[in-house]
Amino acid sequence: MKNVAVIGAGTMGNGIAHTFAQFDYKVQLIDLHQASLDKGIATITKNLDRMVAKETITEADKQRTLKNITTYTNLEEGVEYASLVVEAATENVDLKLKIFRDLDKFCPDDTILASNTSSISITQIASVTSRPEMVIGMHFMNPVPIMKLVEIIKGYSTSEETFKMVEELSKKLNKVPVEVNDYPGFVANRILMPMINEAVETLYNGVAGVKEIDTVMMLGMAHPMGPLALADFIGLDVCLSILKVMYEGFKNPKYAPCPLLVNMVMAGKLGAKSGEGFYDYSQNRKAEDVAKMFTK
């Protein structure tokens, strides 16, 4: 398994491509838009430069990693020889189902189809293919080149052979694979998203301010990042999408998104990527300056 196609050149997609390429897999990075591919390669290059500066890799390692990545705007061409496809497109059910229908048509019969989805049912994704036993969840954490965890999600029909192959592959990437069953939010987001949502509710109810909430969780619970800063880092739109999937999947009000989160997403305040969320990133790329809306 040396040819790996990655669908989507955004934050997760370029991180996944970077990781596979660094471990000498031939990566086909696919996105509909050349501008997105260019931006993805620029991000990978910048991250590799940072690793060279820290002397964790050499300049030769960097060049070899970049050489292992080829970009495509055509899905059929990009997956023609793939042994594994990792889909890392937007967290949208309809989009993912369309992608997997196309992958099922375009990929060789023995290609494993994996999704980096953080909440959507692997069983549902697999149902639109003719190879449900070869469909699996491979949920990397952000930033992918650094974070060790990979949640491996078995759909209802995922074969043990497929699971074992992906488990071993994850170990070859120097990751720690953890087996998870297919329920909304899996493990990571089933626990994380309600915490983030409760932090937003705490702010919404006026219990404390943005920095105060984050400081309590960092100093009191030893979290490396406060939940509101983390929400900004993930993207408030992504948090909202995951909460909606969990709310619809469980029909439990504890997963209902906070109205403040809903309004912020509708207003385009998506966190770091939009320049403003709970913090203002216009002058500082770190979560240090609280957004004006939340200052007293």
Side-chain angles (χ1 to χ4, degrees):
M1 189 181 290
K2 295 302 290 183
N3 285 297
V4 178
V6 178
I7 313 294
T11 301
M12 296 304 296
N14 71 59
I16 294 166
H18 172 162
T19 301
F20 275 104
Q22 193 174 333
F23 282 84
D24 281 330
Y25 289 87
K26 299 300 181 185
V27 177
Q28 296 82 49
L29 180 59
I30 305 164
D31 199 289
L32 288 174
H33 307 289
Q34 186 61 47
S36 298
L37 290 167
D38 293 342
K39 185 178 178 182
I41 294 297
T43 299
I44 294 169
T45 303
K46 183 173 69 174
N47 290 336
L48 288 168
D49 284 337
R50 191 177 293 119
M51 295 172 78
V52 171
K54 292 181 178 178
E55 298 184 349
T56 55
I57 64 170
T58 66
E59 179 65 26
D61 293 330
K62 169 194 162 182
Q63 295 301 330
R64 188 188 71 252
T65 298
L66 290 171
K67 192 175 180 181
N68 282 334
I69 303 172
T70 308
T71 61
Y72 293 84
T73 55
N74 182 289
L75 180 66
E76 186 172 2
E77 290 178 7
V79 302
E80 185 176 3
Y81 301 109
S83 302
L84 169 72
V85 177
V86 182
E87 171 273 317
T90 305
E91 196 74 349
N92 176 286
V93 174
D94 293 335
L95 175 61
K96 289 186 187 295
L97 296 183
K98 180 185 184 308
I99 288 171
F100 274 80
R101 286 190 189 98
D102 289 341
L103 290 174
D104 193 44
K105 286 189 294 185
F106 298 148
C107 290
D109 292 341
D110 59 352
T111 303
I112 292 175
L113 307 181
S115 176
N116 183 60
T117 179
S118 53
S119 61
I120 296 168
S121 168
I122 299 302
T123 302
Q124 182 181 11
I125 291 172
S127 71
V128 301
T129 75
S130 62
R131 61 183 95 186
E133 72 284 355
M134 300 179 72
V135 178
I136 196 163
M138 201 174 185
H139 182 209
F140 292 86
M141 303 294 128
N142 187 29
V144 181
I146 296 171
M147 299 292 277
K148 290 288 189 181
L149 175 66
V150 180
E151 280 188 306
I152 302 181
I153 302 99
K154 297 170 69 174
Y156 189 85
S157 301
T158 305
S159 70
E160 191 62 23
E161 181 183 5
T162 297
F163 171 77
K164 289 296 184 186
M165 288 179 71
V166 172
E167 181 182 45
E168 287 304 311
L169 177 62
S170 300
K171 291 176 181 177
K172 289 177 182 177
L173 299 176
N174 199 24
K175 302 297 185 188
V176 178
V178 176
E179 180 179 352
V180 177
N181 288 319
D182 187 22
Y183 293 96
F186 315 132
V187 172
N189 283 314
R190 183 168 179 172
I191 295 169
L192 175 63
M193 286 302 154
M195 183 194 74
I196 287 176
N197 198 44
E198 194 61 32
V200 182
E201 285 277 3
T202 304
L203 177 65
Y204 179 57
N205 293 331
V207 178
V210 171
K211 275 203 170 180
E212 289 75 12
I213 292 168
D214 279 353
T215 299
V216 167
M217 295 305 291
M218 287 190 291
L219 299 185
M221 313 303 166
H223 290 194
M225 183 184 293
L228 299 177
L230 180 56
D232 275 357
F233 178 69
I234 294 168
L236 303 192
D237 53 337
V238 176
C239 294
L240 180 60
S241 294
I242 295 169
L243 284 164
K244 284 181 175 178
V245 167
M246 292 168 65
Y247 181 57
E248 291 167 7
F250 291 114
K251 299 295 189 290
N252 189 323
K254 75 177 181 179
Y255 299 116
C258 175
L260 174 59
L261 178 62
V262 175
N263 281 346
M264 290 178 71
V265 172
M266 286 195 295
K269 308 300 183 183
L270 308 181
K273 64 185 173 184
S274 71
E276 184 181 334
F278 296 105
Y279 292 85
D280 183 345
Y281 301 91
S282 59
Q283 304 299 321
N284 188 344
R285 298 308 296 168
K286 294 181 180 180
E288 293 178 355
D289 303 323
V290 175
K292 288 181 180 178
M293 179 181 177
F294 303 112
T295 56
K296 295 178 182 178

